[in-house]
Amino acid sequence: MSITSDILRGHTETIILSLLLKQDSYGYKINKEILARTDRRYELKEATLYSAFKRLEQAGCIRTYWGDETTGARRRYYSITEKGRETYASNRRDWEEAKELIDAIRPLVSDAKCDVIVGVPFVDLPTALEATKGTNI
C-alpha cells in the first residue's frame, strides 16, 4: 500500500459524495469510476466502500433505493441528500485548506534537486546521510 492510499483513506466519504453529486449510482460502478479517474492507482476495497455507504446513510448524507433492472441483478443505488451536499462542500474546503498547508510547508525546491531517502525529501544528499546516521537504512 502506498502513502497515497493512506492519505486518501481518510477521505473515502468525500470521494463517494463527489461522485454522487453528478448522478445516483451503485457500489460497483462507483468503485470502477474511482479506478478510472485514478488511472487504476487507487481502488477501494469492497468492505471499505460498503462501510462508508453505511456511515453516510446513518449520517443522513445519502439515501438508498433498489434499482429497477430488467436484466441482471437488482442493484442498490445511492443518492446524495442536501445534508450530503453540505458535508461534501465542508469536506472539500477542509481538503483545500490541508493542501494549501502542505504546499506551504514543503521545500521550495524542484523535485529534480531533491534526493529521497526513506520517502522523505532532502535538499541535498549530505544532509540526508547525516540525518540517517546510526539507523539501519
Side-chain angles (χ1 to χ4, degrees), residues 88-133:
Y88 170 77
S90 175
N91 291 354
R92 176 73 189 258
R93 284 189 299 273
D94 292 346
W95 173 273
E96 293 297 332
E97 185 177 342
K99 183 183 177 304
E100 286 175 20
L101 292 173
I102 291 167
D103 288 344
I105 293 168
R106 70 185 169 111
L108 298 175
V109 295
S110 73
D111 290 343
K113 294 181 182 177
C114 289
D115 293 304
V116 178
I117 293 183
V118 194
V120 179
F122 288 91
V123 176
D124 63 313
L125 189 55
T127 304
L129 293 173
E130 184 65 33
T132 59
K133 266 188 184 169

Side-chain angles (χ1 to χ4, degrees), residues 46-61:
E46 190 174 323
T48 302
L49 182 66
Y50 288 96
S51 293
F53 284 145
K54 186 172 185 165
R55 286 190 302 274
L56 287 166
E57 187 173 21
Q58 289 173 342
C61 294

Side-chain angles (χ1 to χ4, degrees), residues 22-40:
K22 188 170 54 172
Q23 67 182 13
D24 295 0
S25 194
Y26 53 95
Y28 179 75
K29 186 175 178 182
I30 288 172
N31 214 7
K32 279 182 60 174
E33 181 73 17
I34 292 167
L35 274 169
R37 289 186 182 202
T38 62
D39 292 326
R40 304 191 65 79

Side-chain angles (χ1 to χ4, degrees), residues 12-13 16-17 19 49-50 62 69 90 94 97 105 135:
T12 302
E13 286 89 354
I16 292 169
L17 291 173
L19 294 173
L49 182 66
Y50 288 96
I62 62 172
E69 275 72 37
S90 175
D94 292 346
E97 185 177 342
I105 293 168
T135 63

